[in-house]
Amino acid sequence: MGAGGRGGPRPGEGDLDAGTAGKGRPEGVSATPAAAAASGPGQYRCIECDQEASELYRDYSHGVLRITICKSCQKPVDKYIEYDPVIILINAILCKAQAYRHILFNTKINMHGKLCIFCLLCEAYLRWWQLQDSTQSPDPDDFIRYAKEWDFYRLFMVASLEQAAFFLGIFTFLWVERPVTEKTRPNFVLLLKALLLSSYGKLLLIPAVIWEHEYTPLCLRLVTLFVLTSHFQAVRVTLNVTRKLSFLAILSGCLLESAVVYFFQRVEWDVGSDCAIYRSQDF
């Protein structure tokens, strides 16, 4: 998005009170309800220092916009409002904290549920594909269509339970880690949305299966590492915690997920998972 006024006032010049406070991007993007509730009076966040901000830009006449300068760090509150969405996506893939803050606090995205379902479908399909590949038989009567469909639904449910265990492990650690006497508790609603959005790396599972080659197991491990890194950055940015605390939270989630994976393997109800398929099994 262009600033809309390259010949107008530059950031840091002019009188702030001369224009109208911008409550979002010109396209109508505003802060998410969860972010607004978490921020209190400040509806937005500075992507550089994570301080609250009441506006992202000031809208002058004739489409002249001026980006708001953060009072704390003296940098633009959100430089990404001028960037093309492709550039923002690239920065998010690079796990830049500024891009994560822009997406989580200063934009309105309501695709968390759809993205979660689609990612789980991708993961369930990968496990189902591995199951069919490892049990191929020349006799077509061995696997009827209904049985194959049930296998897919079963693996989808298993993937959902394992992801729920991963999130529960993170939430439990963060809840226990905060002192009981501390009044402020982590905003788990916002954190859940951040974790769901940061799961987008699982969409790379399908291309890894479609373009099957001898390096597929390595690709799957790299996808897993990327997803965990995205979760790590989402926890750190959403709660504004240290890298150590974010790492321990992700580790707690992995441990609880591993326990669930072990349980399913003991009852022989699963053929793989984030902790098994991508790290120990070969296709």
Side-chain angles (χ1 to χ4, degrees), residues 112-258:
H112 310 84
K114 295 179 181 178
L115 181 62
C116 175
I117 296 298
F118 192 71
C119 289
L120 289 174
L121 287 173
C122 291
E123 191 168 352
Y125 172 78
L126 176 63
R127 301 182 185 193
W128 178 83
W129 173 82
Q130 183 194 15
L131 177 64
Q132 304 306 316
D133 185 68
S134 61
T135 56
Q136 289 180 352
S137 173
D139 187 357
D141 295 331
D142 287 345
F143 289 97
I144 61 176
R145 183 176 180 180
Y146 177 79
K148 290 185 177 181
E149 184 177 353
W150 162 246
D151 284 335
F152 179 79
Y153 294 146
R154 173 173 60 86
L155 295 174
F156 176 81
M157 183 170 61
V158 170
S160 302
L161 292 175
E162 290 175 3
Q163 179 170 279
F166 176 73
F167 291 164
L168 181 61
I170 295 177
F171 295 153
T172 302
F173 172 82
L174 293 173
W175 181 268
V176 174
E177 184 274 336
R178 295 296 176 107
V180 179
T181 56
E182 189 173 341
K183 295 181 180 180
T184 59
R185 286 287 181 177
N187 189 333
F188 287 136
V189 175
L190 181 60
L191 178 59
L192 177 60
K193 292 182 177 181
L195 290 173
L196 292 177
L197 286 177
S198 60
S199 300
Y200 67 92
K202 292 183 178 181
L203 299 179
L204 298 174
L205 295 174
I206 294 300
V209 174
I210 294 177
W211 296 311
E212 180 185 357
H213 51 76
E214 58 183 4
Y215 299 109
T216 297
L218 176 61
C219 293
L220 297 178
R221 293 186 179 94
L222 292 177
V223 169
T224 303
L225 178 62
F226 174 74
V227 172
L228 291 177
T229 303
S230 299
H231 287 325
F232 166 84
Q233 193 72 306
V235 173
R236 189 172 75 89
V237 168
T238 304
L239 303 181
N240 194 25
V241 296
T242 63
R243 289 182 174 87
K244 178 181 178 180
L245 188 61
S246 180
F247 173 78
L248 292 176
I250 297 300
L251 181 61
S252 300
C254 289
L255 291 176
L256 184 57
E257 182 186 12
S258 299

